Amino acid sequence: MDKVQVTLYVDDADVKKLLADAQKVYTERDIRLASMTDESVDIFYSCLLCQSFAPNHVCIVSPERLGLCGAYNWLDAKAAYEIDPVGPNQPS
């Protein structure tokens, strides 16, 4: 990422409208993730986030299994890999 733009909304009506839109998107995402199974995807992701305190540990994140720390679900790991292809989440 090179640039980020942040917009702060302080008008109560704007905040309520954006909150409703955000809740709709999050609900759709939660439904999508809840309906996914390990058999419905071709790729699982590895997660190396806890290697700072468990150097030999690697988690495998699938739609039905979070990493042991619970920090990443399958969609999070997929997005993290797309953002940073050499980061801690790799297809496996």
Side-chain angles (χ1 to χ4, degrees):
M1 236 183 281
D2 293 330
K3 295 181 181 182
V4 175
Q5 178 177 336
V6 176
T7 304
L8 300 176
Y9 292 90
V10 294
D11 181 37
D12 197 38
D14 290 338
V15 171
K16 286 180 181 177
K17 180 189 179 305
L18 291 169
L19 180 60
D21 292 343
Q23 288 172 332
K24 179 181 175 204
V25 169
Y26 282 122
T27 299
E28 290 170 1
R29 183 210 55 189
D30 292 345
I31 291 169
R32 177 179 169 210
L33 186 58
S35 68
M36 293 177 77
T37 64
D38 290 352
E39 290 80 23
S40 67
V41 298
D42 294 330
I43 299 173
F44 293 171
Y45 291 90
S46 62
C47 183
L48 305 176
L49 290 176
C50 59
Q51 283 199 342
S52 62
F53 59 86
N56 295 326
H57 181 78
V58 176
C59 286
I60 300 299
V61 181
S62 74
E64 295 180 45
R65 292 174 188 81
L66 301 174
L68 290 179
C69 68
Y72 274 60
N73 64 35
W74 186 86
L75 290 176
D76 295 333
K78 181 177 188 254
Y81 172 70
E82 290 173 0
I83 291 169
D84 184 7
V86 294
N89 301 104
Q90 299 292 313
S92 44

